[in-house]
Amino acid sequence: MPLLKVDILTLFPGMFTGPFDESIIGRARKKGLLEINLINFRDFARNKHRIVDDYPFGGGSGMVLKPEPLFEAVDFIAERDGRRPEHIILLCPQGRLFHQRIAEELAQKEHLVLICGHYEGVDERVRQHLATDEISIGDYVLTGGELAAMVVVDAVARLLPGVLGDEAATREESFSGLFLEYPQYTRPREYRGYTVPEVLLSGDHGRIARWRRQQALLRTLKRRPDLLKYEDLSPEDKKLLNEDLG
Ligand code: 9D3
């Protein structure tokens, strides 16, 4: 049994090959930790030309995805599983903004159904009576929900136990939550005259840890003040900001 099963309803299943077959997600699927099923909901259009969209009632430009193929694709999932899925997420610009906290919440589920629209709107009855959740990945306009679904699956899958090497997992825990990363360097010590900070070569692990935390705090305060308010820092971290670590 996989830790998480994801059914993705899309008109463009081919868009997902690559992101889902390579690297960490591909490996998680091969290991059986993650099951991803791509379901082309055009297969559930009963009309002769397998049409999945139609003109909007009331007029206006653009087409609207019809409700029947999406409802019937979910019926198919329910019959396959012998129960109706509990979490059906519509990817759409009107959804709640995706965030690490939402990824953590979704990583606790056993089964997710993701619905991707493309180009156009979705009949409101899908939103109201089929989807149980709506997610947007940010305030910019995409051509469809597919890339958003890939982002959500990627962010959720890497939280499943066994998906990442435990090295990365440990690092995440030790460095609480949503700070920006400290600067990292590898060999060579000098490249084109650009050098590595002396502290990292010092072998003084206490000083290195303090420098890294100081750098992460400074970067976060400067670049992402929305993530961290100076006032919320512990007295130790406020003191650390004033240390000269090299
Ligand atoms: C004219 C109104 N547009 C809404 C802002 C229409 C519209 C544009 C783009 C409707 C759908 C889309 C396709 N986008 C998605 O399906 C989508 C999306 C996005 O565009 N941005 C961020 N997150 C998401 S999740 C799904």
Side-chain angles (χ1 to χ4, degrees):
M1 263 258 287
L3 294 167
L4 176 66
K5 177 170 70 179
V6 186
D7 291 299
I8 301 178
L9 309 188
T10 173
L11 295 173
F12 303 96
M15 284 182 70
F16 294 82
T17 52
F20 285 173
D21 292 338
E22 302 280 343
S23 187
I24 292 168
I25 303 302
R27 190 180 64 198
R29 294 176 77 189
K30 284 199 204 100
K31 280 206 229 170
L33 298 169
L34 173 66
E35 176 181 327
I36 300 176
N37 304 306
L38 294 162
I39 299 173
N40 188 339
F41 61 85
R42 193 179 297 283
D43 295 342
F44 296 88
R46 290 169 184 270
N47 57 79
K48 190 167 97 206
H49 297 290
R50 304 213 302 159
I51 289 168
V52 293
D53 57 6
D54 206 339
Y55 299 95
F57 276 126
S61 63
M63 301 292 276
V64 177
L65 285 175
K66 295 161 66 61
E68 304 98 309
L70 289 167
F71 275 82
E72 294 197 19
V74 172
D75 288 347
F76 161 80
I77 291 168
E79 280 167 34
R80 180 197 67 192
D81 293 353
R83 63 206 215 79
R84 293 201 70 80
E86 283 179 47
H87 303 286
I88 305 177
I89 302 168
L90 177 65
L91 284 313
C92 61
Q94 302 85 354
R96 58 180 176 141
L97 200 53
F98 193 57
H99 188 278
Q100 190 64 19
R101 272 194 305 273
I102 300 180
E104 284 163 9
E105 169 195 321
L106 298 180
Q108 304 305 311
K109 313 294 184 199
E110 289 179 1
H111 183 200
L112 301 172
V113 177
L114 304 183
I115 300 177
C116 307
H118 208 89
Y119 312 130
E120 46 220 327
V122 177
D123 187 286
E124 187 66 16
R125 289 164 292 190
V126 169
R127 219 182 279 291
Q128 297 253 297
H129 305 293
L130 187 63
T132 61
D133 196 358
E134 299 173 43
I135 290 177
S136 159
I137 62 162
D139 295 334
Y140 36 79
V141 183
L142 302 172
T143 57
E146 283 78 10
L147 282 164
M150 291 180 222
V151 166
V152 169
V153 169
D154 191 89
V156 171
R158 65 179 289 287
L159 298 175
L160 301 174
V163 167
L164 295 183
D166 23 52
E167 181 214 317
T170 319
R171 203 150 72 86
E172 185 129 336
E173 274 167 37
S174 67
F175 226 74
S176 72
L178 287 173
F179 286 178
L180 299 189
E181 287 217 30
Y182 52 77
Q184 302 200 76
Y185 294 86
T186 186
R187 285 185 286 189
R189 291 170 67 133
E190 184 175 339
Y191 182 66
R192 300 190 177 192
Y194 308 126
T195 55
V196 174
E198 179 273 324
V199 54
L200 296 177
L201 311 171
S202 68
D204 181 342
H205 298 295
R207 187 167 152 239
I208 292 170
R210 287 197 304 284
W211 181 83
R212 284 179 166 167
R213 186 164 183 90
Q214 183 190 59
Q215 290 291 313
L217 291 170
L218 283 170
R219 266 193 181 183
T220 309
L221 288 168
K222 188 161 163 59
R223 297 189 191 188
R224 292 296 307 276
D226 56 313
L227 294 180
L228 185 63
K229 295 275 164 278
Y230 179 82
E231 295 74 38
D232 296 338
L233 290 178
S234 67
E236 293 75 24
D237 280 340
K238 285 181 181 166
K239 188 157 148 273
L240 180 64
L241 286 177
N242 292 314
E243 276 181 43
D244 182 4
L245 296 162

